[in-house]
Amino acid sequence: MALRNDGTVVAWGSNVDGETTVPTGLSEVNKIAAGFFHTLALKTDGTVVAWGDNQFGQAVTPADLVGISSIAAGGYHIVALKNDGKLVAWGENTYGETTVPAGLTGVIAIAAGRLYTVALKNDGTVVAWGDNTYDATTVPPGLSGVTAVAAGGDHTVALKTDGTVVAWGA
């Protein structure tokens, strides 16, 4: 997938479940994300458009989903960060990847791995949940000062304020 400067999206490659068939008329997009067989677009008005595989409901955007500032696509799940720092997640939940921890607030960034989810809080700490088969959700003890997070299939990476990178998982 690619996001063009004019706010439109292009996609190519495998299209097994319609994941590269961009919805007609989709415009005013400012962020994109792709899961295994589903695709997301975050529009400038804070709404999300999802398409492709819907085996776990990941291609159906919740009706009350508004005020979104960021999106992330996992294997078969989606997580969205609201403007108020709260999260909304949907899709596959076999390992609790869409069960947002109770009381989690102050989130400033998100990432999604194959079967897990990661949140960066405004205090520089990281919270992760879901499948931990390869220790992707086992945040290193004392990890702080984080400014960015990324998730791969089964591993997580954090960038710290001093420029160092910490990685864990497979």
Side-chain angles (χ1 to χ4, degrees):
M1 291 179 39
L3 175 59
R4 292 181 170 159
N5 289 336
D6 67 359
T8 61
V9 175
V10 293
W12 59 94
S14 177
N15 197 31
V16 173
D17 290 300
E19 64 271 25
T20 61
T21 303
V22 178
T24 303
L26 181 64
S27 62
E28 298 182 24
V29 174
N30 65 1
K31 293 181 183 173
I32 54 175
F36 281 173
F37 299 102
H38 64 283
T39 309
L40 305 170
L42 175 60
K43 298 183 64 161
T44 56
D45 66 1
T47 60
V48 176
V49 178
W51 65 95
D53 179 36
N54 196 38
Q55 179 181 358
F56 297 99
Q58 69 270 31
V60 176
T61 307
D64 61 347
L65 192 66
V66 294
I68 302 302
S69 62
S70 188
I71 53 174
Y76 295 99
H77 73 286
I78 296 168
V79 61
L81 175 59
K82 297 184 82 173
N83 292 328
D84 63 5
K86 293 182 182 173
L87 299 180
V88 178
W90 67 98
E92 182 179 17
N93 197 33
T94 304
Y95 297 93
E97 57 267 46
T98 63
T99 303
V100 178
L104 180 62
T105 59
V107 176
I108 59 170
I110 53 175
R114 182 172 57 94
L115 296 167
Y116 72 100
T117 306
V118 181
L120 172 60
K121 295 182 63 171
N122 56 11
D123 64 1
T125 61
V126 176
V127 177
W129 62 95
D131 182 30
N132 199 34
T133 301
Y134 300 102
D135 294 327
T137 63
T138 303
V139 178
L143 180 65
S144 63
V146 175
T147 61
V149 291
D154 294 306
H155 68 285
T156 308
V157 180
L159 175 65
K160 296 182 66 169
T161 54
D162 65 5
T164 60
V165 174
V166 178
W168 62 95

